[in-house]
Amino acid sequence: MKIKAPVEKNSTYEVTIEDLTYQGMGVAKIEDFPIFIAEALPGEKVTVKVTKVQKSFSFGRVEKWLSKSADRVETGDKKLTQTGIAPLQHLAYDAQLKFKHDQIQNLLNKTDLNIDVLPTIGMDDPTHYRNKAQVPVRMVNGQLETGFYRQHSHDLVPIEDYYIQDPKIDEAIVVVRDLLRKYHIEPFNEASHTGVVRNLMIRRGYYSNETMICFITRTQKLPMVDELVKEITAQLPEVTSIVQNINQAKTNVIMGKKNKVLFGKETISDKLLGLTFAISPTSFYQVNPVQTEKLYKLAIEQVGLSGKETVIDAYCGIGTISLAMAEHAKQVYGVEIVADAIEDAKVNAQKNHLNNIQFEVGKAEDKMAEWQQAGLKPDVIVVDPPRKGLAASLIESATKMQPKKVVYVSCNPATLVRDVQLFADQGYKVNQPIQPVDQFPQTTHVESVTVLERA
Ligand code: SAH
């Protein structure tokens, strides 16, 4: 029997928002049937027009606010929410921090783990924190534009002030955009797979101010390259690296594998916890330097190193955590899947005169199994995986090596809680509350540190 949904497309209802999804949408219910409503906050009464009905949920748009939340911040630029750069900017910062705490706590409460979560550590100024931008370059109404995609689409919305990025990066994007216009460089057209410049990637060192401009092109050739380099360096004196990254593939993956240095060096350098790091265009590097320092300090404190320990840093990127730990440990092993990042990591160890680290390219789950079979006995294992979390096989090899502590840096509460349960099955317990650190203010992303100890 087909059960009819209690809401109909294009009809309007009066509802009260009960919750926020992990993607930041308001949730209202009619006869227990959820309506997900963008820009609506818990406690608010709205009239909503249902725009889409699925089997077990629906989407709607606010027609009118009948009452507003005390946590609502009326902001200037709606484009930022529409494009998903700052999807939580309409929520007061304190409430954002609580929202992030609650996401982890609520997931834990559904298990029998009995683990608490501390209040989220926030930023004094939760704006302009990003040290990296990655923006599409497209033709919009006959003009080359840079900006961001409208949520759930590939329509470019032109933007000049991105609100959460280093303002010097915003400025650089506009300078480069204007030069691309001046020299009539053709922007990428996704539908016909034509044009030259697909994206711009810009990174700026928080302490060093060294700036990298990376043109991601569909073509091998970047026309007017000498003029572009000359004018960029004249207008933006902090630029120490201009790179062309070639990506000819028909894919949503932004960067290709091949880099051509057009000016300066292939890396920029920056500092983190007093250590110097070289960063290649395709290497992962945390985007919020202020909060990253807080996060890593916490992770290191919780490990409590004495100088005698052997540490594994899985998903090590350019070796940021590895180097910070190596200063206080006997030996560190790092593993990372991106070869360029491991090249950076090796250079970074040398630069900082740390010769007690061994870096390897590979899948963390494979290396962990190899190390375990080779009889490696780490005292501490640090994991900092992408959103999908850890492979069950990694947890198995990691726990077989019987480290005293596992430090789990997570960017996804759902996979964190799943993995903590798997660790618990192997006798690893969380004895201190989990600490969320807000790495991505104005967005729904939740980062946290969890320490697991062998029972
Ligand atoms: N700890 C680093 C990087 C964390 S981001 C830092 O804080 O800077 C996660 C890293 O995991 C990325 O560098 C990504 O390239 C890498 N990665 C993704 N899947 C992997 C896998 N299966 N094995 C090893 N590394 C992986």
Side-chain angles (χ1 to χ4, degrees):
M1 191 182 80
K2 200 174 165 223
I3 299 169
K4 206 172 164 301
V7 298
E8 254 175 64
K9 188 175 165 174
N10 293 329
S11 293
T12 303
Y13 304 87
E14 208 176 290
V15 294
T16 302
I17 310 300
E18 295 173 21
D19 206 354
L20 263 189
T21 67
Y22 75 95
Q23 291 168 314
M25 293 189 114
V27 190
K29 283 184 181 157
I30 290 181
E31 293 169 32
D32 273 341
F33 191 84
I35 314 173
F36 298 122
I37 310 164
E39 288 172 59
L41 294 175
E44 294 186 330
K45 238 187 186 170
V46 301
T47 47
V48 59
K49 183 170 185 174
V50 171
T51 51
K52 192 174 185 178
V53 182
Q54 308 276 58
K55 220 168 156 185
S56 55
F57 58 90
S58 58
F59 290 99
R61 205 177 42 233
V62 177
E63 295 246 288
K64 196 176 167 202
W65 268 272
L66 304 172
S67 75
K68 290 204 170 175
S69 162
D71 289 331
R72 174 171 287 280
V73 180
E74 299 291 354
T75 57
D77 195 349
K78 260 193 126 174
K79 274 193 295 201
L80 300 167
T81 343
Q82 289 165 352
T83 56
I85 291 208
L88 282 189
Q89 64 162 345
H90 57 304
L91 185 62
Y93 191 52
D94 281 351
Q96 288 182 26
L97 297 175
K98 182 170 180 303
F99 165 73
K100 296 187 183 193
H101 164 276
D102 292 354
Q103 269 193 60
I104 309 177
Q105 189 72 72
N106 293 343
L107 285 166
L108 287 166
N109 291 350
K110 286 184 194 157
T111 69
D112 50 16
L113 288 168
N114 201 13
I115 301 172
D116 284 334
V117 181
L118 292 170
T120 311
I121 298 176
M123 294 188 85
D124 293 338
D125 174 9
T127 66
H128 301 130
Y129 59 85
R130 278 188 71 101
N131 60 9
K132 177 185 173 185
Q134 205 156 251
V135 296
V137 180
R138 296 290 182 275
M139 197 67 96
V140 180
N141 299 327
Q143 171 143 270
L144 182 144
E145 297 282 4
T146 44
F148 230 75
Y149 293 135
R150 195 178 299 285
Q151 269 188 335
H152 315 295
S153 88
H154 275 196
D155 299 336
L156 187 92
V157 178
I159 294 175
E160 290 189 354
D161 176 357
Y162 293 80
Y163 182 52
I164 60 167
Q165 283 170 190
D166 181 334
K168 292 274 192 185
I169 291 182
D170 289 2
E171 194 185 307
I173 295 172
V174 170
V175 166
V176 177
R177 178 201 69 190
D178 290 349
L179 289 172
L180 292 172
R181 284 179 184 168
K182 175 176 170 186
Y183 290 110
H184 304 285
I185 313 288
E186 207 188 326
F188 183 55
N189 181 319
E190 216 177 329
S192 57
H193 201 68
T194 55
V196 178
V197 182
R198 298 171 75 126
N199 290 79
L200 295 177
M201 192 279 284
I202 298 183
R203 241 185 201 148
R204 180 170 187 265
Y206 179 78
Y207 292 101
S208 69
N209 298 340
E210 287 183 17
T211 303
M212 172 186 287
I213 310 274
C214 180
F215 292 94
I216 300 149
T217 63
R218 184 191 63 89
T219 48
Q220 295 283 348
K221 191 171 142 67
L222 176 61
M224 311 299 286
V225 64
D226 295 339
E227 288 79 358
L228 287 170
V229 167
K230 198 169 143 221
E231 293 209 36
I232 288 172
T233 49
Q235 289 186 55
L236 300 167
E238 290 182 343
V239 170
T240 52
S241 166
I242 305 179
V243 177
Q244 182 189 353
N245 173 275
I246 299 158
N247 181 4
Q248 297 182 300
K250 288 184 181 168
T251 153
N252 282 337
V253 177
I254 292 174
M255 297 191 79
K257 291 220 160 74
K258 194 171 154 198
N259 291 319
K260 241 198 252 179
V261 179
L262 307 177
F263 168 81
K265 290 188 298 181
E266 193 177 350
T267 56
I268 57 162
S269 70
D270 198 21
K271 285 202 174 242
L272 205 60
L273 296 176
L275 296 160
T276 307
F277 292 94
I279 313 156
S280 289
T282 46
S283 294
F284 174 91
Y285 185 62
Q286 296 281 0
V287 297
N288 187 335
V290 171
Q291 294 299 91
T292 299
E293 289 197 326
K294 291 183 193 167
L295 183 80
Y296 288 177
K297 259 191 203 145
L298 228 132
I300 292 164
E301 265 167 37
Q302 303 216 332
V303 171
L305 295 171
S306 71
K308 295 195 191 109
E309 292 83 0
T310 299
V311 179
I312 291 180
D313 179 15
Y315 307 87
C316 68
I318 62 167
T320 40
I321 298 178
S322 316
L323 267 66
M325 297 260 174
E327 286 192 303
H328 312 280
K330 188 169 117 216
Q331 177 68 36
V332 177
Y333 296 84
V335 57
E336 157 66 44
I337 204 165
V338 174
D340 279 356
I342 287 293
E343 284 312 307
D344 289 346
K346 288 179 179 165
V347 170
N348 292 333
Q350 271 177 9
K351 267 192 181 187
N352 294 283
H353 312 292
L354 290 164
N355 43 29
N356 56 341
I357 319 177
Q358 184 179 318
F359 286 111
E360 305 216 17
V361 183
K363 283 190 180 170
E365 50 274 39
D366 296 347
K367 275 288 164 227
M368 206 68 96
E370 265 176 47
W371 282 329
Q372 186 251 321
Q373 272 149 29
L376 190 68
K377 288 267 174 265
D379 301 283
V380 177
I381 297 181
V382 182
V383 293
D384 185 3
R387 289 185 58 76
K388 70 175 181 188
L390 301 174
S393 66
L394 182 146
I395 297 174
E396 214 182 292
S397 339
T399 50
K400 270 191 192 155
M401 287 188 272
Q402 304 190 336
K404 287 186 221 53
K405 285 184 182 173
V406 177
V407 180
Y408 194 139
V409 181
S410 157
C411 58
N412 182 353
T415 52
L416 169 71
V417 172
R418 178 199 70 195
D419 293 343
V420 166
Q421 283 176 293
L422 293 177
F423 274 108
D425 294 342
Q426 304 301 325
Y428 280 78
K429 275 203 170 158
V430 178
N431 298 321
Q432 311 156 47
I434 293 176
Q435 177 66 70
V437 179
D438 192 18
Q439 294 274 66
F440 308 98
Q442 322 301 339
T443 80
T444 55
H445 295 290
V446 186
E447 189 102 6
S448 62
V449 190
T450 303
V451 181
L452 293 132
E453 289 175 84
R454 196 159 160 249

